[in-house]
């Protein structure tokens, strides 16, 4: 029983260390994404009316045509970046060492001779 308790304690400690590491990684990513989104949002909110006016005047189009084309472009880019984010998140790996340890433990337990 003591061995089992030590084993559970060691695995619990490993899980705790990796959970802290994962929390740090996710916090950093969340902060960066939040700042990025804020900067992009305010920058585009300030710049787009000027771009619409410049393009509409230079091409002789109505401003609302230019605004709709700009909106379509932004929606297309949003879909592209959403797919990119989804791919990156699917490749994100956390608790790898814990899972490797559990697999090694399963293999070791499976190789033990049966009790008599």
């Amino acid at each position: 029983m003591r061995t089992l308790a030590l084993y559970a304690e060691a695995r619990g400690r490993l899980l705790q260390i990796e959970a802290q590491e994962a929390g740090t990684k996710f916090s950093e990513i969340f902060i960066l994404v939040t700042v990025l989104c804020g900067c992009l949002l305010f920058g585009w909110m300030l710049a787009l009316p000027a771009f619409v006016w410049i393009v509409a005047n230079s091409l002789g189009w109505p401003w609302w045509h230019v605004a709709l084309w700009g909106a379509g472009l932004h929606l297309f880019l949003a879909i592209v970046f959403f797919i990119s984010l989804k791919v990156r998140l699917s490749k994100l790996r956390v608790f790898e060492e814990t899972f490797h340890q559990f697999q090694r433990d399963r293999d070791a337990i499976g190789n033990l001779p049966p009790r008599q």
Side-chain angles (χ1 to χ4, degrees):
M1 287 304 276
R2 178 171 157 62
T3 305
L4 184 60
L6 290 174
Y7 166 78
E9 181 182 349
R11 292 298 176 245
R13 180 67 182 137
L14 179 61
L15 187 63
Q16 180 184 16
I17 290 169
E18 288 194 338
Q20 288 173 343
E21 182 181 324
T24 301
K25 287 180 183 179
F26 287 134
S27 296
E28 290 172 358
I29 290 171
F30 179 74
I31 290 169
L32 288 174
V33 167
T34 302
V35 171
L36 172 67
C37 288
C39 290
L40 288 174
L41 177 67
F42 287 113
W44 278 114
M45 285 176 60
L46 293 171
L48 279 180
F51 288 141
V52 168
W53 182 80
I54 290 169
V55 172
N57 280 340
S58 67
L59 297 177
W61 292 358
W63 68 268
W64 55 274
H65 282 173
V66 178
L68 285 175
W69 278 103
L73 175 65
H74 278 86
L75 291 174
F76 172 75
L77 291 173
I79 290 169
V80 169
F81 286 117
F82 174 76
I83 292 169
S84 174
L85 179 63
K86 189 174 177 180
V87 167
R88 286 178 185 244
L89 288 176
S90 70
K91 291 180 181 178
L92 182 64
R93 301 288 179 240
V94 292
F95 302 108
E96 286 185 57
E97 187 58 33
T98 298
F99 293 135
H100 290 307
Q101 288 294 331
F102 285 150
Q103 184 62 45
R104 285 187 213 125
D105 295 341
R106 269 189 243 119
D107 293 343
I109 290 171
N111 292 333
L112 289 176
R115 284 190 173 185
Q116 306 229 355

